[in-house]
Amino acid sequence: MNLLIDTQPIGLGQLREVWQKHCDVSLGPAARQLVERSQQQIDQVLQSGETVYGVNTGFGQLAQVRISEDELVHLQENLVRSHAVGVGEALAESTVRLTMVMKVIGLARGCSGVRPQLVDALCALIRHRVIPVIPSRGSVGASGDLAPLAHMAGVLLGLGEACIDGDRMPAGEALRRAGIEPLVLAPKEGLALLNGTQVSTAISLAALFRAEHMLAASLVTGALTADAIKGSDTPFDERIQLARGHAGQIDVAELLRNLMHGSEIRASHLDCDRVQDPYSIRCQPQVAGACLDVLRHVGSVLAVEANAVTDNPLAFAESAAVLSGGNFHAEPIALAADYLALAIAEAGSLAERRVALLIDSHLSGLPAFLVEHSGLNSGFMMAQVTAAALASDNKSLAHPASVDSIPTSANQEDHVSMATGAALRLHKMLDNSACIVAIEMLAACQGIEFHRPKKTSKTLETVLSKVRKLSPRYAEDRSLSPDIQAVAELIENGAFFDMARRILPSGST
């Protein structure tokens, strides 16, 4: 993938590609001019002798300390060294790649006062697949993601560690292998690299993309389950959805109708005497549609933030001003991540309820626990218990992180967002929900096959075939753990994304 970063915003679809595969990033000519003009503004400030935060002063509580001109380069290097205090397991390479690309996007806006050489150096890291090792813990999402971005910035200087093609090594060795010279920072450049919300945004974007995979799969399994219990597609009628008006609900109902279209099973009970299905079947457009609306809202917030300037201070060349503000505060990301957590939990909760429905012979009309000779065989009994445990775990994890704040930097940073923690916990929740949906997919396919020789729709039969390549029909008791993991991996890899691509935020941009 070749990505030219100029004056046009980068969309969610492009960011998804950055997350999925390696890319070659370069700075466009118009953006290069903006960067040059902004850097010249910093030079003019220094020549005038004006005091500007982070350019010729200390940082945070030490902002009142004026730094002499001959120490300005040392100041920026010290900032990077002192702030690289992250702990915990390293962020995924795909997340780090997103982080670096978004840092290039932010600097390319021409408000950060850095040299084009700095932006080119970041692009070189990306191009040569030099991925900084960034510990996942250590940011409260206030003055930007300071600690994790310091680990990223350190690699430009030959500090810390990096990976090339999965091999972890000292940063200096990685630069040598890639033929990249260590960078000497100019005034303001260390601060421009460390200030910013790119890490919390990247972690949140990765969660959004994974949530799209999970939600797409849950809509497919919801349609399978509806057919397996001989449920009605009448609640998915367009007229019902239009009467309420929510866009996500309308789109989910249309997708469910399309997924079930042409099912022989559905045709076989059009005139049955069942009046209404349980809510986990009947209210799928309302519940999953609301989750889809959350993903869309979160996507719009993250798309703005991915293209934003979030460091401080900002140099505005057109008005010859260097202004201190607070764009580094990650509250928009923290709130968006907390909102996304609710949708992830709800999608998993709804899938778990459908698993419980499938194994209950009184409600589903299927053999008890989806197995012949139940009693001798326990069937899907314990698979539902696992789904329940995971759904319960997600309820605890869904508690908002953004309502917490611990002042830092001797109370200079007296309100923080906790955005990075808010984003990180989404991935544990997605692990859980992917497994819940995988359990439902296995159970629903088992249910469909009890109706043979009748078939479900052509689209859903292709899903069943995919599942059966990984998991044979459950004829007698065996461990389902490997099957659940295999189908969960299928979901995580986006095997069902295209079935819902048109309605998902990164699929439609």
Side-chain angles (χ1 to χ4, degrees), residues 62-302:
L62 302 174
Q64 305 307 317
V65 179
R66 178 70 183 252
I67 308 299
S68 63
E69 189 173 342
D70 61 342
E71 293 283 11
L72 296 183
V73 170
H74 194 197
L75 172 71
Q76 299 300 315
E77 291 179 354
N78 277 354
L79 178 69
V80 174
R81 292 176 189 273
S82 66
H83 283 53
V85 292
V87 297
E89 63 181 83
L91 293 175
E93 290 194 8
S94 55
T95 301
V96 177
R97 185 168 57 246
L98 262 176
T99 298
M100 291 193 290
V101 168
M102 286 190 293
K103 179 55 77 174
V104 171
I105 294 169
L107 297 177
R109 291 281 301 276
C111 297
S112 301
V114 303
R115 298 166 297 161
Q117 294 97 305
L118 173 64
V119 186
D120 290 338
L122 266 176
C123 291
L125 291 186
I126 299 165
R127 181 169 59 254
H128 291 285
R129 303 185 181 186
V130 178
I131 306 296
V133 174
I134 300 180
S136 57
R137 301 287 175 177
S139 174
V140 295
S143 263
D145 295 311
L146 293 171
L149 285 172
H151 287 276
M152 182 202 75
V155 173
L156 289 168
L157 313 183
L159 305 173
E161 292 183 298
C163 292
I164 297 181
D165 295 328
D167 293 333
R168 186 165 172 167
M169 64 194 75
E173 174 62 22
L175 294 181
R176 282 191 291 275
R177 286 198 194 184
I180 300 171
E181 288 293 321
L183 193 69
V184 177
L185 295 175
K188 174 65 168 65
E189 290 185 340
L191 189 58
L193 287 168
L194 269 59
N195 263 173
T197 63
Q198 286 80 24
V199 171
S200 51
T201 304
I203 298 168
S204 298
L205 276 169
L208 174 67
F209 301 146
R210 290 184 64 198
E212 290 180 316
H213 290 173
M214 183 274 296
L215 186 62
S218 74
L219 295 172
V220 170
T221 60
L224 274 167
T225 297
D227 223 14
I229 67 157
K230 290 190 172 180
S232 173
D233 57 1
T234 298
F236 311 149
D237 189 290
E238 184 180 30
R239 290 166 292 185
I240 296 173
Q241 325 313 321
L242 292 175
R244 195 173 197 185
H246 290 294
Q249 176 181 332
I250 293 166
D251 290 340
V252 164
E254 181 185 10
L255 180 63
L256 291 170
R257 292 195 304 271
N258 291 339
L259 287 170
M260 295 179 70
H261 179 71
S263 166
E264 294 174 6
I265 299 171
R266 176 66 185 115
S268 71
H269 62 94
L270 286 171
D271 299 318
C272 70
D273 58 3
R274 185 187 295 177
V275 179
Q276 291 186 135
D277 296 316
Y279 287 3
S280 61
I281 300 297
R282 191 179 1 141
C283 298
Q284 288 186 78
Q286 289 77 13
V287 179
C291 293
L292 175 59
D293 284 336
V294 171
L295 265 63
R296 287 171 171 174
H297 171 74
V298 170
S300 68
V301 171
L302 296 180

Side-chain angles (χ1 to χ4, degrees), residues 102 225 239 256 273 295 371 386 391 405 411 454 473 478 500:
M102 286 190 293
T225 297
R239 290 166 292 185
L256 291 170
D273 58 3
L295 265 63
V371 68
T386 296
S405 179
N411 279 308
K454 295 183 182 69
R473 185 173 182 274
R478 68 174 195 270

Side-chain angles (χ1 to χ4, degrees), residues 335-460:
L335 291 172
D338 282 344
Y339 199 19
L340 183 56
L342 298 178
I344 294 167
E346 280 296 272
S349 177
L350 190 66
E352 184 279 324
R353 287 293 79 204
R354 292 193 298 258
V355 175
L357 172 61
L358 283 162
I359 65 172
D360 187 337
S361 59
H362 298 98
L363 291 173
S364 69
L366 296 166
F369 300 105
L370 297 173
V371 68
E372 294 167 351
H373 311 298
S374 55
L376 175 62
N377 292 305
S378 295
F380 280 73
M381 180 189 295
M382 291 307 299
Q384 186 268 328
V385 173
T386 296
L390 297 172
S392 179
D393 192 21
N394 275 354
K395 292 174 186 177
S396 298
L397 290 167
H399 185 278
S402 58
V403 297
D404 183 31
S405 179
I406 298 178
T408 60
S409 192
N411 279 308
Q412 176 73 10
E413 299 155 8
D414 60 349
H415 182 276
V416 303
S417 71
M418 298 298 181
T420 314
L424 283 167
R425 65 67 147 85
L426 297 175
H427 292 275
K428 173 60 176 171
M429 296 182 70
L430 285 160
D431 291 343
N432 290 343
S433 286
C435 286
I436 296 170
V437 175
I439 290 167
E440 186 193 1
M441 190 168 284
L442 289 164
C445 287
Q446 182 82 355
I448 290 291
E449 289 179 328
F450 280 116
H451 298 296
R452 295 297 192 226
K454 295 183 182 69
K455 293 186 175 183
T456 185
S457 69
K458 288 183 179 179
T459 302
L460 295 179

